[in-house]
Amino acid sequence: MIKEVKKLAKEKGFVVYDKPYYLNIWGFRANSQTPNSFDDEIHVFTNIGTIRRPKWAYWVFKCTTDPGTYWLKNPMNPQGTAILNPGQYVDAYQLGLHRGKYRALVQCKAVSVTRDYNRNAVLDFNNGRIAKGLFGINIHRASQIGTTFVVDKYSAGCQVFKNVKDFDFFIKLCELHRNYHGNKFTYTLVDKRMEHRENLKLIAIGGVLIGLVVGGFFLVSNDETAPKVLDK
């Protein structure tokens, strides 16, 4: 998995941090517009070796990167509910308190969002208003107990862990990062729908060109979703 992420980072111009115990925190938004579900992933990976001889540990956690249906229908902001835009937000987060209640990664620098102003239960990623600023787009958990299956009020645009034990472990990793590198964290969000659309575009163009010569093309995809630790 680390090879695929490094390849994607190179294509996008994103940074992968290889300092020992420096957390790379990446969100992967699912190729779906189904609201109110924890169908996305947060990938956390770090070098537990040395710069010369890296040894990567890699975890995958279920989450949502989208707001819940409640906030889509009842936005806090009159311009609509915030949906975090894909991108790499360098040093945009720090350990703090989510709404003053419990420890989480809280936004400390501007991020870019699309505001869904339709006030319905459908996630609108393409037609909303773009805004940039401090909106409290935090990285936190859903319920304080067990696993949550419906987003509802747990996200008004935040990146939210489905399982509380996953989140507690994530916070311990963040504490380790802070001890070595200070209280600043970079969050990178990749939208699989956008990647899929771009791939389809390239395939369509390639298919036309190849069709002129050999008459065909194919697409290979690979989706790994199970939580894991890699030691390679």
Side-chain angles (χ1 to χ4, degrees):
M1 181 64 80
I2 187 67
K3 290 181 180 178
E4 288 84 349
V5 172
K6 283 187 172 182
K7 180 182 177 183
L8 179 61
K10 187 175 181 180
E11 292 171 355
K12 297 287 185 184
F14 295 156
V15 176
V16 170
Y17 300 97
D18 59 1
K19 294 178 182 178
Y21 307 109
Y22 199 113
L23 286 190
N24 295 273
I25 306 168
W26 286 49
F28 286 87
R29 181 173 283 150
N31 184 20
S32 166
Q33 286 185 289
T34 304
N36 235 26
S37 59
F38 290 90
D39 56 358
D40 305 321
E41 296 173 351
I42 285 180
H43 293 212
V44 181
F45 51 102
T46 186
N47 177 13
I48 58 175
T50 64
I51 294 292
R52 290 187 177 182
R53 301 186 67 181
K55 192 176 182 181
W56 292 94
Y58 199 111
W59 299 269
V60 180
F61 306 107
K62 296 300 292 184
C63 73
T64 182
T65 63
D66 310 320
T69 298
Y70 177 85
W71 295 115
L72 290 173
K73 293 180 177 179
N74 305 277
M76 295 181 183
N77 189 300
Q79 293 185 349
T81 298
I83 303 172
L84 185 64
N85 289 325
Q88 185 165 66
Y89 300 100
V90 177
D91 292 342
Y93 287 86
Q94 62 185 20
L95 275 168
L97 295 179
H98 175 61
R99 295 188 176 181
K101 296 178 181 178
Y102 62 88
R103 296 176 73 194
L105 286 191
V106 298
Q107 185 191 351
C108 60
K109 285 177 61 177
V111 299
S112 172
V113 303
T114 295
R115 291 205 172 274
D116 184 338
Y117 55 83
N118 290 336
R119 294 177 185 254
N120 57 25
V122 179
L123 293 164
D124 190 348
F125 298 95
N126 301 315
N127 301 313
R129 299 179 175 90
I130 304 294
K132 189 174 182 180
L134 289 166
F135 307 117
I137 304 295
N138 298 338
I139 303 174
H140 63 91
R141 59 163 170 78
S143 174
Q144 62 182 330
I145 301 172
T147 301
T148 306
F149 294 95
V150 181
V151 179
D152 281 339
K153 294 183 180 181
Y154 284 115
S155 174
C158 292
Q159 318 293 280
V160 182
F161 278 70
K162 180 177 184 176
N163 180 275
V164 66
K165 289 184 179 179
D166 287 348
F167 176 73
D168 290 343
F169 177 68
F170 170 70
I171 291 299
K172 288 179 181 178
L173 292 176
C174 291
E175 289 171 346
L176 183 64
H177 168 109
R178 184 185 61 182
N179 291 341
Y180 281 91
H181 304 291
N183 195 15
K184 285 289 186 295
F185 299 82
T186 295
Y187 179 60
T188 306
L189 178 61
V190 176
D191 192 325
K192 288 186 178 180
R193 282 185 324 277
M194 292 179 67
E195 298 299 311
H196 182 64
R197 285 195 297 270
E198 288 301 314
N199 286 339
L200 288 180
K201 234 184 254 183
L202 291 173
I203 290 166
I205 294 169
V208 171
L209 296 175
I210 295 171
L212 295 173
V213 181
V214 297
F217 64 89
F218 65 94
L219 170 66
V220 176
S221 65
N222 182 25
D223 184 22
E224 301 178 32
T225 58
K228 58 182 73 86
V229 178
L230 299 184
D231 186 2
K232 293 184 180 179

